[in-house]
Amino acid sequence: MSDEVVFDLAEAESLAMRACLAAGASQATARSLVDATLSAALYGPPAVGFPHFVDYLDSFREGRINRDPAPTCERPYPAFFAADADRGIAQLGFDLAFEDLVEAVRSLGAAVFTQTNSYTTGELGYYVRRLAGEGIVGIAATNANAMVVAKAGGPAVYSTNPMAFGFPLGEGSPPLLIDQASSATAYVNVVAAAAEGRSIPAGWAVDEAGQETQDAARALGGALLPFGGRKGANVALMVEMLSAGLSGGPWSLDTPSFRSGSASPAVGLTIVAIMPGRDGLVERAHQQADRLQRHGVFVPGVSGIEYPRPASEGLKISRAVFEAITKIAEADG
């Protein structure tokens, strides 16, 4: 039996919707989460698509996510959107504010969306990809529970604190999109390695005693390392201030786990949206991306990606993830 299941986009969407609703999510929550998951599965890192979707399903059932939230959004300044996700998913609050955010950026040139009190954001690149689809440059930052040490031997003080950047490259091209953690790797990559019994590269993590390890299972009992040593830790701090600091959400040190317990992580998300200032700048950026690729440079979000994806191309999901989702989707069947 193959370790992967391949099915088309419509089948994947149907299964994901059924699983969300079976886990108790409202229709609006399910719609926002499934849209983001499919986007991540098509264009993002594989681990933050359907594998992370299972974390959402578990969290719906175990109380870490409000299954039928009522997000709110205020505008203390014309270009500043301050949202509260009501312990729901981050994607729903963003979706509800999206049209007004885009209108503000097109009118004022730039705007900020910041949100607190949500479950983890999922694939962070999703938010800036949405903006790039509207011709808008985006920068995003978020945090979660502490799982990264500032240096080996120290306590975990930051989350992986990812940041994402998207720059539109015009019609017929995917946007330039950078989505990376402040840690040496994303936590989901260590989870996947532990589940599959694989070792992890040196420099990714420490064990429970604070010693560097290549054992993924021991790393789960320890913490991740920042990329680039102190410089990576500084980036994690910057992301912490942008996300938790601007939104008023909990610092990573005070954030409950997104994988256990019944408390919402209640984390922060901040997105800075910028309108390209003059005609021709998007095309100029497209030409530069092409130029870099001719020089052998990997341009994230662009290199190696067929866009738009062929409708006939199937989505690949590991059998273990497929079975976990199917079990929940059929629980009430």
Side-chain angles (χ1 to χ4, degrees), residues 3 45-55 147 185-201 204-205 214-221 224 258-259 317-318 320-321:
D3 289 336
V48 292
F50 281 97
H52 190 33
F53 181 70
V54 176
D55 291 325
M147 60 183 81
T185 190
Y187 182 74
V188 288
N189 291 335
V190 178
V191 172
E196 296 167 13
R198 293 185 282 109
S199 61
I200 57 175
W204 273 19
Q214 291 182 261
D215 185 322
R218 296 190 68 183
L220 292 179
L224 300 178
F258 71 90
R259 302 187 82 228
I317 302 176
S318 77
V321 169

Side-chain angles (χ1 to χ4, degrees), residues 17 20 25-39 53 56 60 69 71 89-97 121 126-127 130:
M17 283 295 294
C20 280
S26 68
Q27 185 72 34
T29 291
R31 184 71 268 163
S32 287
L33 179 57
V34 170
D35 286 347
T37 300
L38 291 173
S39 181
F53 181 70
Y56 282 90
F60 284 136
I89 62 170
Q91 295 90 339
L92 179 59
F94 177 71
D95 284 349
L96 293 174
T121 59
Y126 169 71
Y127 304 87
R130 287 277 305 279

Side-chain angles (χ1 to χ4, degrees), residues 43 165-167 169 174-180 289 292-293 297-305:
Y43 300 109
F165 172 77
F167 200 108
L169 298 180
L176 184 156
L177 199 151
I178 300 169
D179 181 356
Q180 65 185 56
L292 289 171
Q293 290 183 97
V297 175
F298 178 84
V299 179
V302 177
S303 296
I305 292 180

Side-chain angles (χ1 to χ4, degrees), residues 125-265:
Y126 169 71
Y127 304 87
V128 296
R129 189 183 302 118
R130 287 277 305 279
L131 290 171
E134 300 291 335
I136 296 170
V137 177
I139 303 169
T142 191
N143 70 316
N145 51 292
M147 60 183 81
V148 177
V149 297
K151 61 180 180 179
V157 293
Y158 302 127
S159 177
T160 57
N161 285 15
M163 68 208 98
F165 172 77
F167 200 108
L169 298 180
E171 291 292 330
S173 173
L176 184 156
L177 199 151
I178 300 169
D179 181 356
Q180 65 185 56
S182 302
S183 52
T185 190
Y187 182 74
V188 288
N189 291 335
V190 178
V191 172
E196 296 167 13
R198 293 185 282 109
S199 61
I200 57 175
W204 273 19
V206 295
D207 61 19
E208 60 277 3
Q211 300 299 310
E212 289 201 34
T213 183
Q214 291 182 261
D215 185 322
R218 296 190 68 183
L220 292 179
L224 300 178
L225 287 163
F227 77 83
R230 184 176 65 184
K231 291 183 179 180
N234 287 344
V235 172
L237 177 57
M238 177 187 73
V239 170
E240 186 98 351
M241 290 298 164
L242 283 173
S243 55
L246 275 184
S247 71
W251 307 109
S252 294
L253 276 168
D254 305 317
T255 301
S257 171
F258 71 90
R259 302 187 82 228
S260 63
S262 59
S264 169

